[in-house]
Amino acid sequence: MQPARALRLASLAVWQRAEHAFDAIFGAPGNPWRQLGALGFLLLWLLVASGIVLYAVLDTSATGAWQSIDALSRQQPVLGGLLRSLHRYAADALVLVTLAHLLREALHGRYAHFRRFSWWTGVPLLALVFVCAVGGFWLNWDQLGQYSALATAEWIDALPLLAAPVTRNFIDVAAVSDRLFSLLVFVHLGVPLLLVFGLWFHIQRISRAAVFPTRALALGTVIALLALAWAAPVMSHAPADLTREPATLALDWIVLAVHPLTRALGAGPMWLLLAAALAWLLVLPWLRQPRQAPVAVVDPANCNGCRRCFDDCPYAAVTMVAHPAKRLRQMAQVDADLCASCGICVGACPSSTPFRSAAALVTGIDMPAQPIGVLRRQLQQALAAMDAAAPRFVAFGCDCGAHVASIAAPDVAVFSLVCTGQLPPSFVEYALRDGADGVLVAACQGCEFRLGARWIAERLGGAREPHLRTNVPRERFLLTGADAGQEPVLLAALATLRHRHRSVDRSISPTAAAHE
């Protein structure tokens, strides 16, 4: 194994252990580590909302900016000061969440093939987030804003791009005119608009993009930021004074750490470091090119144009076009560049769950590498080969989750799919009809393909089509969440199924139970 890949996998294992620890506290749906992208959107909306109010009271002149912001904190500490502090801490949190989101996706290897577009449109957004956050300190125009503005100007001057140095705008008090200050205001207001536009591109190829976290997590995040703003309110430094260098500053080490780092390394090396990091992130999708499974294939003869695969595809790879053989009907069409080969569309297709006597199971959309008809035959053969006099169980798992093969046994037939969302819910009934006494379905808690775990849960629960029929005994199947490395969760779920089976046997045959 290559050293870089080994390091990535080791880091991913550490990250997942931390996620699982938070799962135990908040539960998987409320785990902030699993909703970093949605949290970033929430923090951005908080910044926009609080920024609009702050801009309404800001004196956008070089001489009045500090006084208007300082008065907000000192004269209206409950409302104005709290709002200002919330704005500051939300900016810090946005930077941290954005970095964590980038790191998590990189550790999972989510930047190649169908994910390239989202990766390439997401990397530049990190720079925009930093520009927005740093520019906010300038508008206060206190000693900290003065330090940041001058340090940024000196850093920009290290590039041989401008005819005149930027630092000349900060030579003396007269140089900082209202026109320059209006430019600073424009940077802090204009770049966020560019950021929102970039985010729109970032989620273009993602169906049902999460732009808001779960209600509990959103409420908890807002309460935590308000509590921090109340406990440690943000106050201004002394007004900017270009005639002397500030002696002591309460530096924001989350946003403004770039300035002392630039001073330590030098402006030139810092530019080279950032350019190299950005270049590496942009070429990363080309460095990792694992072989991708064949994409989904549509069978026009069996596609009825129901649009379920279109609705359920996580990456907008399925579109609806006019059916070539059926007038006034539509059929699905797969974009090979967008298809993740996850098979979620197969689990959504109603023709893959026919309850009819047919020689072969066919479907309107299928995965060439793992056809649903082959899975059906394998299920029948596995159950037929097991001892019919003993309890028999079937377990369906996910290639990206806990290894379902770890619970294989003489009385347990296991099947691993690319994503559990590929499993038509009728396969639970198929297994029971073919002699299984219990069926275990295991999905990733943090689905590798975003929506697979959610869709299989809703289909088995009857909340999404195609759904498991209501006449299937609920005690005879179990859905569990288990990520890679959580094989003990599968063993515990299987033990639960075995216990249910024994309990049902006792209730049906109390005489037999008495002889055990």
Side-chain angles (χ1 to χ4, degrees):
M1 183 182 296
Q2 297 178 352
R5 185 170 184 267
L7 177 61
R8 181 179 70 83
L9 292 178
S11 301
L12 177 60
V14 174
W15 185 284
Q16 289 181 325
R17 284 197 293 270
E19 281 189 352
H20 296 156
F22 274 78
D23 285 341
I25 301 172
F26 301 102
N31 189 340
W33 296 108
R34 298 189 185 278
Q35 301 185 56
L36 292 171
L39 270 178
F41 272 100
L42 170 66
L43 294 168
L44 179 61
W45 307 143
L46 285 176
L47 284 167
V48 170
S50 58
I52 291 174
V53 178
L54 292 174
Y55 181 71
V57 300
L58 175 67
D59 184 338
T60 57
S61 66
T63 56
W66 179 87
Q67 185 176 1
S68 63
I69 294 297
D70 186 66
L72 192 67
S73 299
R74 299 185 186 280
Q75 298 177 12
Q76 303 178 40
V78 176
L79 294 179
L82 193 66
L83 188 66
R84 178 195 177 186
S85 299
L86 174 67
H87 189 76
R88 164 78 167 274
Y89 290 131
D92 288 340
L94 178 59
V95 171
L96 293 177
V97 165
T98 303
L99 288 171
H101 179 58
L102 178 73
L103 177 59
R104 185 177 190 269
E105 298 304 294
L107 291 178
H108 279 275
R110 295 172 180 169
Y111 42 75
H113 295 303
F114 59 94
R115 292 187 172 101
R116 281 198 299 258
F117 179 84
S118 296
W119 179 265
W120 280 333
T121 56
V123 169
L125 299 182
L126 181 62
L128 294 181
V129 168
F130 266 101
V131 171
C132 294
V134 173
F137 286 90
W138 304 343
L139 299 190
N140 190 23
W141 204 233
D142 59 357
Q143 291 183 354
L144 184 60
Q146 170 190 332
Y147 163 76
S148 177
L150 189 57
T152 303
E154 292 173 345
W155 190 30
I156 294 175
D157 285 343
L159 296 174
L161 300 176
L162 302 178
V166 179
T167 50
R168 71 174 186 173
N169 295 293
F170 303 97
I171 295 176
D172 53 35
V173 176
V176 184
S177 63
D178 289 347
R179 186 172 64 175
L180 173 63
F181 206 78
S182 297
L183 177 61
L184 301 182
V185 173
F186 176 78
V187 169
H188 190 56
L189 298 182
V191 175
L193 293 177
L194 187 60
L195 176 62
V196 172
F197 187 63
L199 285 170
W200 178 78
F201 270 100
H202 183 56
I203 63 175
Q204 272 301 289
R205 296 189 179 183
I206 299 177
S207 300
R208 301 174 185 270
V211 296
F212 204 79
T214 59
R215 184 177 302 177
L217 181 56
L219 184 60
T221 301
V222 173
I223 291 176
L225 289 174
L226 286 173
L228 181 60
W230 181 267
V234 175
M235 304 299 293
S236 298
H237 289 67
D241 186 354
L242 294 175
T243 61
R244 55 183 177 179
E245 184 176 354
T248 304
L249 294 174
L251 196 67
D252 185 319
W253 286 97
I254 296 175
V255 175
L256 300 182
V258 64
H259 299 321
L261 187 59
T262 301
R263 175 169 292 185
L265 298 178
M270 189 63 180
W271 278 119
L272 291 175
L273 178 63
L274 290 180
L278 182 61
W280 180 75
L281 290 174
L282 291 176
V283 302
L284 195 57
W286 299 112
L287 300 179
R288 181 177 183 266
Q289 293 289 334
R291 181 176 298 177
Q292 188 177 15
V295 301
V297 175
V298 177
D299 181 359
N302 289 284
C303 179
N304 62 10
C306 69
R307 300 175 66 89
R308 290 176 185 167
C309 57
F310 170 80
D311 291 335
D312 285 7
C313 179
Y315 300 101
V318 179
T319 55
M320 303 304 297
V321 298
H323 201 290
K326 300 177 182 179
R327 188 169 176 266
L328 302 179
R329 297 292 293 273
Q330 290 183 316
M331 78 169 194
Q333 179 176 276
V334 177
D335 187 331
D337 291 333
L338 303 182
C339 182
S341 302
C342 61
I344 290 175
C345 54
V346 180
C349 185
S351 62
S352 67
T353 60
F355 291 94
R356 60 179 186 263
S357 56
L361 177 60
V362 294
T363 181
I365 189 167
D366 210 347
M367 300 304 300
Q370 198 174 36
I372 205 68
V374 173
L375 179 63
R376 177 76 178 97
R377 290 195 300 272
Q378 291 174 342
L379 175 62
Q380 292 172 323
Q381 294 167 1
L383 287 169
M386 296 164 69
D387 185 359
R392 293 177 287 179
F393 299 91
V394 173
F396 296 100
C398 172
D399 290 347
C400 303
H403 297 298
V404 70
S406 65
I407 61 172
D411 63 339
V412 182
V414 299
F415 302 91
S416 186
L417 308 174
V418 176
C419 176
T420 312
Q422 180 184 353
L423 183 72
S426 59
F427 267 63
V428 173
E429 188 168 352
Y430 283 148
L432 297 176
R433 281 169 38 184
D434 291 338
D437 295 288
V439 179
L440 173 64
V441 180
C444 300
Q445 296 190 79
C447 181
E448 180 71 14
F449 301 102
R450 297 183 54 247
L451 300 175
R454 175 182 171 185
W455 290 163
I456 190 62
E458 292 186 7
R459 292 168 188 166
L460 294 179
R464 191 172 192 83
E465 296 292 343
H467 66 267
L468 184 63
R469 297 200 296 184
T470 56
N471 61 350
V472 177
R474 265 39 189 175
E475 69 277 3
R476 297 186 64 185
F477 74 89
L478 180 63
L479 174 66
T480 189
D483 290 330
Q486 290 188 307
E487 284 71 23
V489 175
L490 298 183
L491 288 171
L494 181 60
T496 300
L497 270 181
R498 294 185 189 276
H499 175 72
R500 288 182 183 178
H501 173 67
R502 290 193 297 268
S503 299
V504 170
D505 272 359
R506 289 191 183 95
S507 63
I508 294 176
S509 179
T511 304
H515 288 289
E516 289 186 0

